[in-house]
């Protein structure tokens, strides 16, 4: 192995370990609570309601593989609902092809999602989740198209598409 590389790795590993310890409590707090009492299910209740894949995304803030969702290529008119509680989150007229491999929107239906900052990749990112059941949907970035300039990068497994 190249001596420079091995030395750099030797320094980086302890730094990453320390950062992980510091940010771990924030990850524990990352799971969002439902705003509506009737959607405030326990972990086991959610497990019973959802597929294992959707549970991992919605309740454990997982991320599906890029280009794995059929909804990435969905071009029909319709509404994208939360896969956890069926709240309408996005309209097809705000959907666009971001090239990232995840269904992307430049705006959400008003009041349907809430945001919080997470540190899962150390760098702060803005996580968003369903405003009713608290289910994790994706992350929102400031590199989207006009007029909003936003890019809602959504997991397809967290959505249910209802064509018009
Ligand atoms: Zn929901």
């Amino acid at each position: 192995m190249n001596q420079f590389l091995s030395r750099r790795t030797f320094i980086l590993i302890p730094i990453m370990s320390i950062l992980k310890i510091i940010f771990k409590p924030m990850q524990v707090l990352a799971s969002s609570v439902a705003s509506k009492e009737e959607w405030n299910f326990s972990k086991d209740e959610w497990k019973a309601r959802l597929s294992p894949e959707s549970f991992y995304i919605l309740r454990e803030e997982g991320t599906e593989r890029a280009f794995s969702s059929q909804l990435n290529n969905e071009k029909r008119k319709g509404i994208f609902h939360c896969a956890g509680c069926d709240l309408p989150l996005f309209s097809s007229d705000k959907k666009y092809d971001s090239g990232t491999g995840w269904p992307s929107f430049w705006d959400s239906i008003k009041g349907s999602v809430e945001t919080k900052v997470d540190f899962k990749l150390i760098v702060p990112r803005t996580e968003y989740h369903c405003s009713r059941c608290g289910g994790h949907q994706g992350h929102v970035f400031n590199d989207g198209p006009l007029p909003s300039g936003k890019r809602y990068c959504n997991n397809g497994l967290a959505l249910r598409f209802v064509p018009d």
Side-chain angles (χ1 to χ4, degrees):
M1 194 192 282
N2 177 307
Q3 204 188 346
F4 171 74
L5 263 183
S6 65
R7 190 178 301 160
R8 194 169 62 175
T9 308
F10 185 72
I11 295 166
L12 271 177
I13 287 171
I15 291 173
M16 294 301 282
S17 308
I18 291 164
L19 285 173
K20 269 190 180 165
I21 291 163
I22 293 168
F23 286 107
K24 198 150 189 181
M26 295 192 192
Q27 288 186 23
V28 173
L29 292 173
S31 194
S32 300
V33 178
S35 66
K36 298 276 182 288
E37 187 64 33
E38 64 266 33
W39 288 100
N40 204 3
F41 297 120
S42 70
K43 192 174 171 176
D44 285 344
E45 285 170 325
W46 277 119
K47 264 192 180 159
R49 295 179 70 96
L50 301 168
S51 69
E53 295 80 14
S54 291
F55 177 85
Y56 170 65
I57 308 290
L58 287 161
R59 308 313 309 178
E60 301 197 308
E61 301 200 5
T63 301
E64 71 195 14
R65 240 175 346 101
F67 299 101
S68 64
S69 172
Q70 289 187 349
L71 293 185
N72 187 44
N73 294 318
E74 181 58 66
K75 300 263 193 316
R76 290 174 291 171
K77 285 195 178 305
I79 300 293
F80 295 82
H81 295 240
C82 172
C85 73
D86 217 28
L87 185 72
L89 303 182
F90 296 99
S91 166
S92 59
D93 58 7
K94 310 280 169 68
K95 189 176 190 288
Y96 75 103
D97 185 2
S98 65
T100 58
W102 288 281
S104 301
F105 306 87
W106 53 265
D107 203 4
S108 58
I109 292 172
K110 205 172 182 313
S112 68
V113 300
E114 290 170 350
T115 62
K116 73 175 191 298
V117 176
D118 83 29
F119 294 85
K120 281 200 163 183
L121 297 181
I122 308 296
V123 183
R125 292 181 302 170
T126 305
E127 184 273 355
Y128 66 92
H129 49 271
C130 170
S131 66
R132 182 159 70 181
C133 72
H136 170 68
Q137 293 291 327
H139 291 84
V140 57
F141 303 92
N142 291 319
D143 57 10
L146 294 173
S148 70
K150 300 281 183 198
R151 170 169 60 95
Y152 288 85
C153 186
N154 216 103
N155 288 284
L157 284 165
L159 296 170
R160 189 176 74 83
F161 179 61
V162 180
D164 281 352

